[in-house]
Structures are given as structure tokens and as C-alpha cells.
Amino acid sequence: MPPSISREGPLLVATRSQHKLGEIAAILGPLHIATVTLRDAGLPYEPREEKIESFDTFVGNASAKAAHFAAISGMPTLADDSGLVVPVLHGQPGVRSRRFSGRDDLDGEMLDRANNERLLERLADRRGAERVAWYTCAAALHRPGRTPLFTIGTVHGTILETPRGQLGFGYDPLFALPTLGGRTFGECDAPAKHTLSHRGRAFRALAAALLHG
């Protein structure tokens, strides 16, 4: 296998989401970028992490996470912030996609379900073009003593009235893509999703910037 294109060695991935870790590893692995998790790096969860994502932009949140964990680890650190943007809802859920339901007592699949239900409630009387939406992902790489790198990936689709598919996570069962014949990300296997997804596009662009930077 060719060596990692990262001259700094493995990149720390600043997320505690198993879903994100899996997707990022699957996207970057074929590009020969080695990654390690926060757990691998011996960085246990701290409550102060909950306050890192306090910005109103995806780039701001991704940059804050990458900078935080780069500072405490001394390692080149990747982070992303992503979410669903629905124009008819004035951009919501946006940077609050994970917390859209307002349910702080839930996590994992239960939280995803609550967020999806909230989205469907807000779009209950909307039809056609009013259900257009897009996923956005901002990826950031902070390296001690180096200029940070930022990239953005987007993918456009529509929000269905009922969820379809058991794959993916978040709003994937509601997000249908014309390029997939109307299938949702919840109906796509991982390779197909990563080829088209906002996260795939953002991290492939970041890998290209890293290769040439």
C-alpha cells in the first residue's frame, strides 16, 4: 500500500460519533490517509466539549473542534460539522441539525428519530419545491504551526413525507436524491453514499488540498 499522503503522520479525527468515524475512515482510507480516533489517542470525553460548537456556521464549528483537539493533543487534527439546510425553514435545521428536536435526553437512533419527526412536522403543509433541501459538510484540518485547511461539500435533494431505508443515520431516510433515482441515503450502501455525499465531497477535497499543500 502506498504511504499516507499526510507528511505529519496519522490525522486525529475529532469526533466521538461512531457513525462519523466510520464514514470518514471509509472515505479517507482509499486515499491512503491514516487516521486515529480520540479514544486511540487517549483523550477521554470531557464535558467542556459540549460547548465547542457554539458558532452559527458549519466552518466555524468544524474549525473550533479541530483547533481544540489539535491544541490538547499536539497532533494534526481533522474535524467536520455538517447538517441539513431547508430553505423554506429559513435554513433550519442547519448547524442545529443534531439538536433540532430540542430533546437533550435522547441520543443515537432515538435522537435521530426525534429530529426526523420534528422536521416532518415543520414541513407537514409543504409540497413540491418547498421540500427542496441540501446537506452541507465543512471539513477542517488544524496542524500545529501550519495554516489551517477548510473545504465544503454539498449535495442537493428533497425531503420525503415518510422515511425510507434503514441505512445511514441522521436525516438520511428522509433525504432523496434525483441522481439516485429518487432513492434516499437511507436506501444506499456505504460506497454509493460516500461517492455522492456532502461528507465524501468535503473530505476528498481536503485530501486533495493536503496532497498539494
Side-chain angles (χ1 to χ4, degrees):
M1 177 182 292
S4 170
I5 65 172
S6 172
R7 301 180 183 88
E8 297 88 355
L11 305 180
L12 179 65
V13 182
T15 181
R16 299 197 185 275
S17 165
Q18 293 302 310
H19 287 298
K20 280 192 178 185
L21 285 172
E23 288 200 350
I24 292 170
I27 293 164
L28 295 182
L31 302 176
H32 312 300
I33 297 179
T35 60
V36 296
T37 69
L38 297 175
R39 187 173 184 177
D40 293 336
L43 298 173
Y45 170 78
E46 296 180 344
R48 61 177 173 160
E49 294 174 19
E50 299 299 327
K51 298 182 180 180
I52 294 174
E53 295 181 81
S54 59
F55 295 85
D56 58 4
T57 66
F58 295 112
V59 170
N61 285 329
S63 180
K65 279 189 289 188
H68 172 82
F69 286 104
I72 64 176
S73 70
M75 297 178 64
T77 302
L78 287 171
D80 84 325
D81 190 40
S82 58
L84 184 70
V85 176
V86 184
V88 76
L89 299 182
H90 307 289
Q92 295 180 4
V95 294
R96 291 192 55 82
S97 289
R98 186 175 178 275
R99 302 174 293 278
F100 190 48
S101 67
R103 295 292 302 273
D104 295 332
D105 58 322
L106 299 177
D107 204 354
E109 291 182 7
M110 295 294 290
L111 180 58
D112 286 348
R113 188 174 299 117
N115 286 330
N116 282 314
E117 290 172 355
R118 176 60 172 159
L119 179 62
L120 291 176
E121 289 173 1
R122 293 288 304 276
L123 293 175
D125 61 345
R126 304 291 187 170
R127 299 290 183 272
E130 292 181 312
R131 300 182 77 91
V132 166
W134 58 84
Y135 267 130
T136 294
C137 175
L141 173 62
H142 278 249
R143 299 166 290 176
R146 302 284 299 278
T147 301
L149 296 176
F150 306 98
T151 56
I152 295 177
T154 60
V155 58
H156 289 73
T158 58
I159 304 302
L160 300 181
E161 295 184 19
T162 56
R164 292 204 316 253
Q166 303 298 317
L167 303 175
F169 64 101
Y171 300 94
D172 286 353
L174 290 175
F175 189 78
L177 291 85
T179 50
L180 289 173
R183 285 187 296 158
T184 70
F185 271 155
E187 296 174 299
C188 288
D189 60 22
K193 178 182 177 182
H194 299 332
T195 297
L196 297 171
S197 77
H198 52 306
R199 184 166 289 114
R201 291 173 176 177
F203 276 96
R204 283 192 296 273
L206 193 68
L210 182 62
L211 177 62
H212 294 100

